[in-house]
Amino acid sequence: MLTTTTKPNAYDVALENFDAAANALGLDNDTREMIKYPERILMVSVPVRMDDGHIRRFEGYRVQHSQVRGPAKGGIRYHPQVTLDEVKALATWMTWKCAVVNIPFGGAKGGITCDPKHMSQGELERMTRRYTSAILPLIGPEQDIPAPDVYTNSQTMAWIMDTYSMTKGYPIPGVVTGKPISLGGSLGRNEATGRGVFYTIQSACEHLHMQLKGATVAVQGFGNAGSVAAQLLYEAGAKVIAVSDSTGCVYNKHGLDIHNLMHLKALTGKVEGFPEAENIGPAELLALECDILVPAALENAIRADNADAVRARIIAEAANGPLMPAADRILESKGVFIIPDILCNAGGVTVSYFEWVQDEQHLFWEAQDVYNRLERVMKTAFRDVLKIHEERNVPMRTAANMLGIGRVAEAVQIRGIYP
Ligand code: GLU
């Protein structure tokens, strides 16, 4: 029997959210059977020669949830808490996410259970190359295209691109996105998730008749998504009063200088020790009185036991799956406006799509083109989700899932079943 101490399972959350949206759509059982579950799962053993000479084995995964609307697409995560169920959940969310922003991809995710913070560059490179070789039959520009996720970056993508290309015998930049610019990466991809978060917050403020200038913001997680979102909000005149990372949390009720904080993080790897700020606990950050709360870390940050303490007006889910269904219900009853993950953080995969298109065409765009197109995609998706939320009187998360799942359902119905 489940107890309250059981670690929440992200895949259970993904299935529960699917059912809520499928019910609201009145989706027939046949279609549910076809689109709900991962299409393909690969589990691999990744032996790595560590710097001290001994061999250590890591467990890796690649899950393709859907290729109904196009090649499978999704990041690769390196984290000690990676499990198959987590990767299945993240792959499922990628499918609905790509459909919400209407880009021609399905969903996938990969991961390795490891602690990259305690590995050298050499160990990370050998692990990445061996993992790539293990998942090689699954990936490819027309099949499944990995990208960065938690604790992977453009360097990781460069190693994957190189390993894949060396095996095939010619350069294939389109096998991954989020690459360095010099290898066929797109301008603006690095900042794309945070920038997309920012655009959806702008849309939410407009909808709620709130001024972004002067609005107070708390950001949980200062990685790629959280730091860029914080920076753009700060530059737009919002007051970012608290920021945390996995090691600590800094707070100043008059607002933090985000440029200086990013500088410190780049230098020391931590936000802790930032001058003109006090240290607070992670639970305190989530409970701060603020206009906008940006959970930008991992899944299940806000649950039944801490949702009631949240005092934000808007929650912008830069992370994947930061709210558990029980938290959704509590926050909904408190009238908090939620920008759900598959909408809020879809800017990353949207610019991944732009990168893939540029690689396929061997023709590269200017940064401003990328930003303009991204803004259009994000704001259109926001409007589409909001319309369902208002017309069907369902929570924003259900509305986003209805949009995404509805598009996948339509595609599968037209394609029919093979054989
Ligand atoms: N890892 C990012 C996400 O969760 C980006 C995936 C991609 O660009 O394929 O959306």
Side-chain angles (χ1 to χ4, degrees), residues 73-75 94 97 109 145 147-149 177 189 320 345 348-349 352:
K73 185 84 190 81
M94 285 310 301
K97 188 188 300 188
K109 203 81 172 196
I145 306 130
D149 194 73
T177 57
R189 173 61 186 87
N320 290 310
N345 71 35
V349 76
S352 275

Side-chain angles (χ1 to χ4, degrees), residues 117 244-249 265 269-272:
K117 285 191 173 167
S244 71
D245 63 13
S246 61
T247 61
C249 181
K265 174 87 181 174
K270 294 179 186 178
V271 296
E272 222 178 17

Side-chain angles (χ1 to χ4, degrees), residues 170-203:
Y170 58 100
I172 309 172
V175 66
V176 282
T177 57
K179 293 178 293 294
I181 303 299
S182 53
L183 289 182
S186 175
L187 294 172
R189 173 61 186 87
N190 247 342
E191 309 79 32
T193 308
R195 186 170 280 275
V197 169
F198 173 72
Y199 291 142
T200 61
I201 290 175
Q202 277 187 324
S203 291

Side-chain angles (χ1 to χ4, degrees), residues 125-149:
E125 175 171 359
R126 292 191 291 279
M127 183 178 76
T128 301
R129 288 185 182 279
R130 183 59 189 248
Y131 168 75
T132 305
S133 145
I135 64 163
L136 203 108
L138 252 53
I139 60 174
E142 310 298 333
Q143 282 171 260
D144 179 355
I145 306 130
D149 194 73

Side-chain angles (χ1 to χ4, degrees), residues 47-67:
V48 177
R49 174 90 58 199
M50 305 303 277
D51 288 344
D52 66 7
H54 83 282
I55 289 175
R56 199 165 151 202
R57 175 211 173 250
F58 299 90
E59 201 145 278
Y61 311 93
R62 185 71 185 171
V63 174
Q64 294 175 346
H65 175 264
S66 174
Q67 292 187 329

